[in-house]
Amino acid sequence: MKNLLFLGLILFIGINACQTPVEEVKQKQQAPFLWENANVYFMLTDRFNNGNPSNDVNFNRTKETAILRGFEGGDFAGITQKIKEGYFTELGINALWFSPVVEQIHDAVDEGTGVTYGFHGYWAKDWTAFEPNYGTEQEFAELVEMAHSKGIRILMDVVINHTGPVTPMDQVWPNDWVRTSPQCKYQDYESTVTCTLVENLPDVLTGSTEEVDLPKHLTEKWAAEGRLEQEVNELNAFFEATGYPRTPRNYIIKWLTDYIRKYGIDGYRIDTAKHTEEDVWGDLWKEAFKAFAEWKKSNPDNVLDSNDFFMVGEVYNYGISGGRLFDFGDRKVDYFAQGMKSLINFDFKGDANKGYEELFASYSKTLNGPMKGLSVMNYTTSHDDGSPFDKERKRTMEASTKLLLCPGSSQVYYGDESARNLIVEGAVGDATLRTFMNWDEIQNNKSINGVEIKTLSEHYKKLGQFRSSHPSVGAGVHTMIQENPYYFKREYNSNNYSDKVVIGLDLVAGLKTIPVKDIYEDGTMLTDHYSGVTVKVKNGKAKLDTQFNYVLLSE
């Protein structure tokens, strides 16, 4: 009997001794999601993928448009299709940002270069309704749910600054809601904020403290759609609960935060942030924070993590070199003090011309120094930046390497991974940046300036997945190990989680001897996530023989 008990004890101890390391390994492999390390994919919904052709035409939007200035069919269903296929997961994408979802003006405008519809999503007509060209409420809900099931967060693009343009079918909002002049001159704070961005883009009176009634054209629209009573009752409940005055900004804040309460949106990308009084964003953050907490409480089985609601701002021409502050010339504003944890970094497209070490070291020094706890979102191309890093797509491998391995979060613009064309003859202004996703070229593996799309795409996948799995890449401290061949370390330690990686760039194919002394102990098994080769550390070195010019090492 004693022998049996002793044997049982040995088995018990043995089983638990085997289980514990497995649990520890699993825990170590489960990297936390950090917005500071996010790999964000940004697309114009209408230009990405057409998943439901039945919604291609609405409100009789059939006028002939200028080149690339009409609706082209992309929709929520198309994005969902690519989520299901694993397209974003393969790229290491862990957050999606796409066009504002709200109903756009019904008619088009003639801007002198030809007719333009609100295909891009920034010309709101009704903040409480979905743009039918993008899809239905059900299709949007499925998109969010499917993204969350893959561990992908949703960044909703939101506009408070302006309504859509005035057309024969889209009347101007009342003058206690918007201003139609003067046009911004961008010379100082006042001429950037209390004005219209461009001609015929009515500016919401976000600084007004005067209570206003709902616009007649909006109540008539809701009545015709059979939802006037519901919308009014919800507004009454919101203003009664918050005690806020019924000002234009607070109506829109209510409408925008409804999307969080209902669908579990994870964050906002703030459009035209510097063109609105900065405290608007602080007010929006407070309500968004509450709405996200309410959604989490109501949907405990769907909660991805303990992160609070996230906001990243588009403060046009803000750069990391300015630190926390944006300088209007006569006034400096700290948008990070208004609920934003990150700002889009307009410096990066120029900084990407620097060498790897100068770029990486300077960003790490700033983000782990004066901007500790905050971040920036880097990009090489975007929807409204006419001077991207690599407009001719001649430096695609370099662009992806610098973007995905730089400290800060990364924003991949749709088609960066497939060298989508950004130069279209006859297209005026931003339109040339907004071609439809080049799925045919991807399928046919077209060579763009000597680089096959498959080669470029695989590069994005390897770097993107490595970044997604290792918070140290975007959120860690950068240290150069060796200048030539070039190796560096990134290390992240916070909240009882640590992560460290060693990366090599511009290496030669063949044998590589990587100095890892004081980083990994002898005997440590490392994996090169670029080649898939594993190696054991010996005498402070890891020796790899691969055909690639890149090394992505971790335990």
Side-chain angles (χ1 to χ4, degrees), residues 13-261:
I13 293 172
I15 290 169
N16 281 277
C18 291
Q19 288 178 340
T20 302
V22 173
E23 291 170 358
E24 288 175 353
V25 168
K26 285 183 178 179
Q27 186 178 7
K28 190 170 184 178
Q29 289 177 338
Q30 186 59 48
F33 172 80
L34 305 175
W35 282 106
E36 303 97 301
N37 184 57
N39 190 19
V40 181
Y41 194 95
F42 168 40
M43 73 208 89
L44 294 179
T45 302
D46 177 68
R47 301 301 164 91
F48 183 64
N49 187 38
N50 192 350
N52 182 7
S54 69
N55 62 27
D56 287 359
V57 179
N58 291 279
F59 309 122
N60 196 32
R61 293 175 175 140
T62 56
K63 295 178 181 177
E64 184 177 350
T65 67
I67 295 174
L68 290 172
R69 291 191 177 272
F71 283 91
E72 296 200 0
D75 48 29
F76 299 145
I79 298 173
T80 303
Q81 178 184 329
K82 291 300 175 182
I83 297 172
K84 289 179 177 178
E85 290 175 3
Y87 184 79
F88 303 111
T89 301
E90 288 182 358
L91 284 170
I93 298 298
N94 47 28
L96 293 180
W97 155 27
F98 42 83
S99 308
V101 301
V102 304
E103 185 176 321
Q104 299 294 285
I105 60 170
H106 292 184
D107 207 349
V109 298
D110 191 335
E111 300 178 309
T113 58
V115 168
T116 301
Y117 283 111
F119 68 89
H120 42 67
Y122 295 98
W123 289 352
K125 182 182 181 72
D126 184 350
W127 274 273
T128 71
F130 285 98
E131 168 52 49
N133 269 70
Y134 300 157
T136 64
E137 177 183 355
Q138 292 74 24
E139 286 172 322
F140 180 74
E142 182 184 5
L143 188 164
V144 177
E145 183 178 352
M146 185 55 60
H148 283 171
S149 74
K150 301 284 189 178
I152 299 173
R153 280 77 181 164
I154 298 295
L155 268 179
M156 182 173 163
D157 202 329
V158 297
V159 184
I160 294 183
N161 171 253
H162 57 271
T163 69
V166 181
T167 78
M169 291 175 62
D170 306 281
Q171 57 269 67
V172 66
W173 290 52
N175 59 16
D176 57 359
W177 270 82
V178 301
R179 63 169 65 87
T180 56
S181 66
Q183 191 172 329
C184 294
K185 296 181 179 178
Y186 311 112
Q187 296 173 341
D188 50 24
Y189 182 87
E190 188 74 15
S191 67
T192 303
V193 175
T194 58
C195 48
T196 66
L197 286 175
V198 294
E199 185 180 357
N200 192 24
L201 197 64
D203 187 72
V204 176
L205 298 176
T206 48
S208 174
T209 57
E210 178 186 346
E211 294 203 342
V212 296
D213 294 327
L214 285 165
K216 184 180 179 182
H217 72 266
L218 201 56
T219 57
E220 288 178 347
K221 177 180 183 294
W222 291 346
E225 294 169 352
R227 57 190 182 97
L228 175 60
E229 183 178 358
Q230 176 189 343
E231 293 295 341
V232 170
N233 288 341
E234 287 184 6
L235 282 166
N236 290 340
F238 174 79
F239 286 115
E240 182 177 349
T242 61
Y244 292 155
R246 293 175 180 254
T247 58
R249 77 156 76 172
N250 289 331
Y251 278 102
I252 300 174
I253 285 173
K254 186 272 179 191
W255 294 332
L256 291 176
T257 53
D258 279 349
Y259 292 94
I260 305 171
R261 286 186 191 86

Side-chain angles (χ1 to χ4, degrees), residues 33-42 87-97 151-153 155 377-378 400 403-406 408-413 416-417 459-469 473-474:
F33 172 80
L34 305 175
W35 282 106
E36 303 97 301
N37 184 57
N39 190 19
V40 181
Y41 194 95
F42 168 40
Y87 184 79
F88 303 111
T89 301
E90 288 182 358
L91 284 170
I93 298 298
N94 47 28
L96 293 180
W97 155 27
I152 299 173
R153 280 77 181 164
L155 268 179
M377 184 182 290
N378 303 316
S400 55
L403 175 67
L404 293 173
L405 296 181
C406 189
S409 65
S410 52
Q411 173 233 291
V412 178
Y413 186 44
D416 281 352
E417 74 279 20
H459 191 61
Y460 267 92
K461 290 175 182 178
K462 290 175 180 180
L463 297 185
Q465 289 178 28
F466 188 69
R467 164 183 272 270
S468 182
S469 299
V473 175

Side-chain angles (χ1 to χ4, degrees), residues 483-507:
E483 185 175 4
N484 187 22
Y486 179 53
Y487 291 103
F488 61 87
K489 176 185 72 169
R490 293 280 169 77
E491 188 162 6
Y492 174 85
N493 293 287
S494 184
N495 298 320
N496 298 317
Y497 179 84
S498 63
D499 177 55
K500 56 187 175 182
V501 299
V502 170
I503 298 172
L505 304 177
D506 288 348
L507 310 174

Side-chain angles (χ1 to χ4, degrees), residues 40 81 95 134 147 186 205 241 243 271 324 327 340 347 433 494 511:
V40 181
Q81 178 184 329
Y134 300 157
Y186 311 112
L205 298 176
D271 182 66
R324 289 185 65 115
D327 191 353
M340 298 183 198
D347 277 354
L433 307 171
S494 184
L511 183 63

Side-chain angles (χ1 to χ4, degrees), residues 331-540:
R331 179 176 173 181
K332 293 182 179 180
V333 174
D334 182 0
Y335 290 95
F336 290 104
Q338 302 296 334
M340 298 183 198
K341 289 293 185 182
S342 179
L343 294 181
I344 294 173
N345 178 29
F346 289 79
D347 277 354
F348 187 82
K349 61 177 183 176
D351 289 343
N353 287 298
K354 299 175 181 178
Y356 289 122
E357 179 59 20
E358 182 182 2
L359 172 67
F360 297 159
S362 64
Y363 273 52
S364 178
K365 183 178 179 180
T366 299
L367 293 173
N368 290 285
M371 289 182 64
K372 183 73 173 176
L374 305 172
S375 190
V376 293
M377 184 182 290
N378 303 316
Y379 73 91
T380 55
T381 58
S382 190
H383 66 313
D384 59 2
D385 190 331
S387 302
F389 169 67
D390 180 30
K391 192 169 187 176
E392 295 182 349
R393 302 295 197 189
K394 292 181 177 179
R395 302 165 68 182
T396 50
M397 296 290 281
E398 178 189 358
S400 55
T401 303
K402 288 179 173 176
L403 175 67
L404 293 173
L405 296 181
C406 189
S409 65
S410 52
Q411 173 233 291
V412 178
Y413 186 44
Y414 77 105
D416 281 352
E417 74 279 20
S418 54
R420 178 177 58 84
N421 183 29
L422 301 175
I423 302 175
V424 179
E425 185 177 354
V428 177
D430 297 339
T432 193
L433 307 171
R434 304 172 177 181
T435 55
F436 205 87
M437 183 66 174
N438 56 332
W439 298 115
D440 288 344
E441 291 182 345
I442 293 173
Q443 186 172 359
N444 295 324
N445 193 25
K446 183 178 179 180
S447 179
I448 311 292
N449 292 317
V451 178
E452 290 184 347
I453 289 177
K454 183 178 181 181
T455 300
L456 177 62
S457 177
E458 285 299 316
H459 191 61
Y460 267 92
K461 290 175 182 178
K462 290 175 180 180
L463 297 185
Q465 289 178 28
F466 188 69
R467 164 183 272 270
S468 182
S469 299
H470 293 282
S472 58
V473 175
V477 176
H478 172 88
T479 306
M480 184 172 71
I481 300 171
Q482 181 175 287
E483 185 175 4
N484 187 22
Y486 179 53
Y487 291 103
F488 61 87
K489 176 185 72 169
R490 293 280 169 77
E491 188 162 6
Y492 174 85
N493 293 287
S494 184
N495 298 320
N496 298 317
Y497 179 84
S498 63
D499 177 55
K500 56 187 175 182
V501 299
V502 170
I503 298 172
L505 304 177
D506 288 348
L507 310 174
V508 294
L511 183 63
K512 304 165 182 63
T513 301
I514 307 158
V516 295
K517 186 180 179 182
D518 301 327
I519 303 172
Y520 300 112
E521 295 180 356
D522 280 0
T524 303
M525 294 301 299
L526 302 176
T527 299
D528 169 28
H529 295 269
Y530 205 90
S531 65
V533 173
T534 59
V535 62
K536 182 185 289 188
V537 178
K538 186 176 181 181
N539 297 326

